[in-house]
């Protein structure tokens, strides 16, 4: 595990709850879309549900009406995010446990009817291994449902880096097809799954606004082994983009549903 990078991610998201929702419109929309997909799944009458990476509670909030009888375990790697979700979404009501937990190495017992995560898995170091661990926590008939960033995200940002002979510090995301090949198939865990992806273009008045949005929501930690651009190179890229007017940045989002059959 890349402990220093993981610690930076925790620190960035721990600092974000108070301002996160002012800049996280995309995250709210994706969570609503994922909640709609989950609501159409066949689940137990009183499902036991685990959320990975709750953030400030977009997905949690959207799912509570759809699963009114669920018993929730809600987690985030950043303790401040888990506390914020607890205080604002559940606000003292019973029926939920909150954990500060790394979703790549879940410290919970299995038997879940639903495991869900919205825009979390792009931070994982080994997504395939993590999907296998999470699927093993499902009951037969249980669902793993998630939204994550995939190949094509930040394509405009990457293109201008290439034009200047530079490498962007943003992660190299897997494709939706890659993720479709990650489903577990072992003697212990089997199932069936599907993955669909969708483009979400976002418009920013300036290139600095794009970077400020990432910083505001705590999503500005560089990819493993990468460093941010030096100030001079960053200024060149920003000047080039700003000469073109408003900046469009694409987020490519994949929705995955895995149902454990054994």
């Amino acid at each position: 595990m890349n402990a220093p990078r993981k610690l930076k991610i925790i620190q960035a998201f721990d600092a974000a709850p108070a301002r996160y929702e002012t800049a996280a419109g995309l995250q709210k929309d994706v969570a609503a879309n994922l909640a709609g997909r989950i609501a159409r799944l066949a689940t137990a009458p009183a499902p036991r549900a685990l959320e990975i990476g709750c953030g400030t509670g977009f997905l949690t909030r959207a799912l509570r009406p759809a699963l009114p009888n669920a018993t929730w375990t809600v987690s985030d790697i950043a303790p401040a995010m888990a506390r914020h979700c607890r205080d604002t979404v559940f606000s003292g009501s019973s029926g939920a446990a909150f954990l500060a937990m790394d979703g790549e190495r879940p410290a919970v017992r299995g038997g879940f009817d639903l495991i869900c995560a919205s825009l979390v898995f792009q931070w994982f170091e080994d997504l395939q291994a993590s999907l296998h661990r999470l699927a093993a926590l499902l009951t037969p008939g249980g669902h793993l449902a998630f939204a994550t960033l995939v190949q094509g995200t930040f394509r405009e940002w990457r293109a201008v880096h290439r034009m200047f002979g530079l490498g962007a510090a943003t992660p190299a995301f897997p494709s939706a097809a890659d993720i479709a090949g990650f489903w577990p198939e072992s003697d212990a865990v089997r199932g069936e799954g599907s993955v669909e992806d969708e483009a979400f273009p976002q418009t920013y008045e300036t290139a600095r606004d794009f970077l400020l949005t990432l910083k505001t929501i705590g999503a500005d930690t560089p990819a493993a082994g990468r460093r941010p651009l030096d100030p001079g190179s960053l200024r060149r890229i920003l000047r080039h983009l700003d000469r073109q007017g408003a900046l469009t940045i694409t987020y490519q989002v994949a929705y995955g549903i895995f149902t454990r059959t054994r």
Side-chain angles (χ1 to χ4, degrees):
M1 178 174 65
N2 187 340
R5 181 172 185 265
K6 189 86 66 165
L7 180 60
K8 289 179 181 178
I9 292 170
I10 294 170
Q11 291 171 337
F13 281 108
D14 256 343
R19 62 183 190 271
Y20 183 90
E21 295 192 11
T22 65
L26 170 78
Q27 286 72 17
K28 185 176 182 179
D29 291 344
V30 170
N33 288 348
L34 178 59
R37 291 168 183 257
I38 292 171
R40 294 191 291 271
L41 296 173
T43 57
R48 185 172 175 230
L50 169 66
E51 183 177 1
I52 302 294
C54 63
T56 59
F58 286 139
L59 181 59
T60 328
R61 192 177 292 114
L63 280 176
R64 285 196 72 192
L67 301 171
N69 299 317
T71 299
W72 283 97
T73 299
V74 182
S75 69
D76 199 284
I77 195 171
M81 285 290 198
R83 289 194 299 270
H84 185 95
C85 182
R86 178 197 65 197
D87 295 342
T88 59
V89 179
F90 281 85
S91 188
S93 64
S94 59
F98 283 83
L99 301 174
M101 183 182 77
D102 182 354
E104 284 201 80
R105 292 164 180 80
V108 291
R109 298 180 67 177
F112 291 100
D113 302 292
L114 171 68
I115 299 175
C116 56
S118 184
L119 293 182
V120 177
F121 289 171
Q122 66 268 12
W123 296 105
F124 283 11
E125 294 168 351
D126 187 340
L127 180 54
Q128 184 170 11
S130 299
L131 290 176
H132 288 209
R133 292 188 194 103
L134 292 171
L137 297 176
L138 293 171
T139 59
H143 308 289
L144 170 60
F146 61 88
T148 190
L149 298 181
V150 291
Q151 191 176 90
T153 295
F154 304 149
R155 64 191 69 161
E156 301 86 354
W157 183 249
R158 293 177 185 277
V160 73
H161 278 68
R162 289 194 298 270
M163 189 180 72
F164 282 97
L166 300 167
T170 50
F173 302 111
S175 68
D178 290 334
I179 295 174
F182 290 168
W183 302 133
E185 287 291 338
S186 68
D187 291 339
V189 178
R190 288 186 179 273
E192 54 189 23
S194 63
V195 182
E196 301 174 352
D197 63 320
E198 177 181 4
F200 285 81
Q202 303 290 296
T203 301
Y204 304 89
E205 290 189 11
T206 70
R208 288 186 186 277
D209 289 336
F210 163 60
L211 296 181
L212 180 60
T213 296
L214 295 182
K215 184 175 181 62
T216 299
I217 65 173
D220 57 340
T221 303
R226 302 303 303 269
R227 293 183 178 180
L229 290 178
D230 64 87
S233 296
L234 179 59
R235 284 194 295 270
R236 279 189 293 154
I237 285 178
L238 296 179
R239 282 197 301 267
H240 173 81
L241 290 170
D242 286 343
R243 283 197 294 268
Q244 301 177 46
L247 173 64
T248 296
I249 296 288
T250 300
Y251 293 72
Q252 196 75 21
V253 177
Y255 298 94
I257 304 287
F258 175 81
T259 301
R260 180 174 177 176
T261 56
R262 185 175 75 187

